Amino acid sequence: MRTALTIAGSDSGAGAGIQADLKTFAAHGVYGTCAITAVTAQNTLGVTMMEALPADLVTAQIEAVASDIGAHAVKTGMLATAAIV
């Protein structure tokens, strides 16, 4: 099975971010994995708060997925800080 890694923020409303990416991957028969860069408090009306995760935690997530599951494709979304980029 093909795998894809999304590196993006988490959307509590599930209309964007990793939640939307994982739904899209699944709809196309792709096994989705993720590295979360930020957590948001949001809904259909907007974002009320956002907190970026430390860059070393994002790196650790990517390395954990890559070393075991791998990724045939990578998609980026909200990278949140220059350090994460």
Side-chain angles (χ1 to χ4, degrees):
M1 176 177 264
R2 293 288 184 189
T3 61
L5 167 64
T6 178
I7 305 169
S10 175
D11 168 8
S12 56
I18 61 159
Q19 289 84 349
D21 292 343
L22 292 173
K23 287 190 256 184
T24 301
F25 295 164
H28 291 279
V30 174
Y31 182 82
T33 60
C34 65
I36 300 172
T37 61
V39 177
T40 66
Q42 70 184 83
N43 56 31
T44 61
L45 303 176
V47 178
T48 57
M49 192 170 180
M50 185 278 294
E51 184 76 29
L53 293 173
D56 60 339
L57 179 54
V58 177
T59 299
Q61 292 175 82
I62 295 166
E63 289 173 348
V65 168
S67 69
D68 178 34
I69 300 164
H72 293 103
V74 177
K75 185 235 179 244
T76 61
M78 181 176 76
L79 299 180
T81 67
I84 291 173
V85 172

